[in-house]
Amino acid sequence: MPHARLAGLLLPALLQSVRCLALEPPVRPAPPALRRPRPLAMSASGGTGGGDSSSDPERWASLSGSDLSRELARRSTLSSRVRTSAPVRFSLAAAADGRQFLVSFARFWTGLGAAVPVNRLMLALIVAAYGLQGVCGRAMLYAGARMNQAILVGQWHRLITPIWLHGSLMHLASNSYSLWHLGPQAEALFGAERFLLLYVLSGVGGNLLGLWMGAARSMSVGASGAVFGLMGGLAGHALRTYGVAGASQTLSSVSRILLLNLFIGSRRGSGIDNLGHVGGFLAGGALGVLLARGSPGDRSASRGPVWRDEPRDEPRVDSTSAAFGAVAVRAATVAVWAALALSTRDFAAMTANLRARGLR
């Protein structure tokens, strides 16, 4: 058969090909010769030679190992060894990481401030904290209230956490109403970061005055000191921007509100901490002067507080004359956020400890 004869001829050739592929390695083409870079020859003065001397193979071949060693020793100075040491490289890397964190945090804060006003964020925090008080009971109140004896033994978080706590629903409603009306105006004048500093540091200032002049067993909560700090900040901003004559109406309005609240708080059994109000107002006034910013063409600087609608003279403080520059404000903002985070950690741990002991 022709087909059988053809298969008998092709089968041995096929078996031979399979055996060669299985037993012998494949033949690969040799790689092309790598191009070796031609180094520059060193001149007699120690530098690299220029012109035709650098491409002279005989001159390069004449360099000995001792010449190369002397050149490396000449370039290995003390400063280069210090810069390449492990501690210095670790410190520089840590500084670069810290700078990157600050830049990222600044971008996050800027985006958050553009999306959500800080005054509304503060309002949401005090309302949410009051809701948690209903769940945690007295444990949360005792863990975060300003107790002078506890602060003196190291519980420093009690200078911050009372800003978010309230003793009753009427107390919360009063401070929320004041923050709702004063917050947007203060944030428009100071900006998001400066408003945060004004609000938190005013509350801390009120608690510090209560710690200094209050009774050892006194206990206080509430955002009243921070709210009074907003009023003091508006007065300080007007005083710095317009002078005593231009800010007379603002100072008069703020003084009447302050005196009215002090009178109400002076009644027996009122339960109002006047020291917190006064301390917050004084701290806010000082911060308002320090943090004041604005320019004659800035609408936010020329409108004035919410209770003042009549026209004013042009402000006399430009955007570069604030006592705190942008870098100082940014650093202070980061420090305030860090203090808020640490105080919240200690406050939460103490609340959990009190609840574990049966306090409800």
Side-chain angles (χ1 to χ4, degrees):
M1 296 290 296
H3 295 288
R5 188 179 298 109
L6 180 61
L9 294 175
L10 294 178
L11 185 59
L14 180 61
L15 293 176
Q16 182 67 22
S17 300
V18 171
R19 185 167 57 253
C20 292
L21 292 175
L23 299 179
E24 297 181 3
V27 179
R28 297 179 180 176
L34 297 177
R35 183 180 179 182
R36 183 177 180 181
R38 184 165 51 193
L40 298 177
M42 305 304 295
S43 64
S45 61
T48 58
D52 296 334
S53 61
S54 62
S55 60
D56 187 3
E58 296 180 358
R59 182 177 180 83
W60 176 254
S62 64
L63 289 177
S64 62
S66 59
D67 296 333
L68 294 177
S69 300
R70 284 195 298 269
E71 181 64 22
L72 291 176
R74 187 181 68 85
R75 294 180 180 273
S76 179
T77 61
L78 177 61
S79 60
S80 64
R81 291 195 297 270
V82 170
R83 287 195 304 269
T84 57
S85 62
V88 173
R89 287 188 287 113
F90 178 79
S91 302
L92 293 177
D97 293 341
R99 180 181 179 277
Q100 184 63 31
F101 170 76
L102 293 179
V103 171
S104 302
F105 181 82
R107 291 175 179 173
F108 167 77
W109 173 251
T110 303
L112 180 63
V116 181
V118 181
N119 65 90
R120 296 298 185 249
L121 180 61
M122 297 296 105
L123 181 60
L125 287 177
I126 63 175
V127 173
Y130 189 77
L132 289 177
Q133 285 182 238
V135 176
C136 299
R138 293 180 301 168
M140 189 171 176
L141 193 65
Y142 288 165
R146 194 202 80 215
M147 297 180 179
N148 291 345
Q149 285 184 334
I151 296 174
L152 293 177
V153 297
Q155 298 179 12
W156 64 268
H157 70 275
R158 295 180 182 273
L159 293 173
I160 301 177
T161 51
I163 303 174
W164 319 113
L165 304 177
H166 290 84
S168 64
L169 182 60
M170 184 60 65
H171 190 198
L172 172 67
S174 173
N175 287 332
S176 298
Y177 178 81
S178 301
L179 180 57
W180 178 271
H181 284 275
L182 294 177
Q185 180 65 26
E187 187 169 352
L189 287 174
F190 291 98
E193 293 179 337
R194 296 168 190 263
F195 175 85
L196 177 69
L197 296 178
L198 176 65
Y199 185 84
V200 175
L201 296 182
S202 296
V204 173
N207 291 325
L208 284 174
L209 186 63
L211 174 65
W212 180 32
M213 302 184 64
R217 297 181 177 274
S218 63
M219 176 178 175
S220 176
V221 293
S224 303
V227 171
F228 272 82
L230 296 183
M231 289 191 290
L234 292 173
H237 183 279
L239 182 64
R240 177 176 173 83
T241 306
Y242 303 102
V244 178
S248 59
Q249 183 64 25
T250 300
L251 296 175
S252 177
S253 301
V254 169
S255 300
R256 286 197 298 268
I257 296 175
L258 178 63
L259 291 176
L260 177 61
N261 282 271
L262 292 179
F263 173 75
I264 296 174
S266 62
R267 295 182 303 168
R268 183 182 298 273
S270 64
I272 297 176
D273 183 14
N274 278 334
L275 290 176
H277 293 176
V278 174
F281 182 82
L282 294 177
L287 289 170
V289 173
L290 293 175
L291 299 175
R293 65 180 179 88
S295 62
D298 187 4
R299 289 184 59 196
S300 65
S302 60
R303 283 183 302 202
V306 292
W307 52 75
R308 181 73 186 272
D309 296 328
E310 61 271 17
R312 290 186 170 190
D313 298 333
E314 291 295 333
R316 56 189 178 92
V317 177
D318 57 18
S319 58
T320 61
S321 62
F324 277 66
V327 176
V329 169
R330 186 63 52 83
T333 303
V334 173
V336 166
W337 276 116
L340 290 175
L342 294 175
S343 64
T344 303
R345 181 200 63 182
D346 296 344
F347 167 57
M350 186 168 294
T351 302
N353 187 19
L354 292 177
R355 286 178 58 82
R357 295 182 179 181
L359 183 61
R360 295 290 188 270

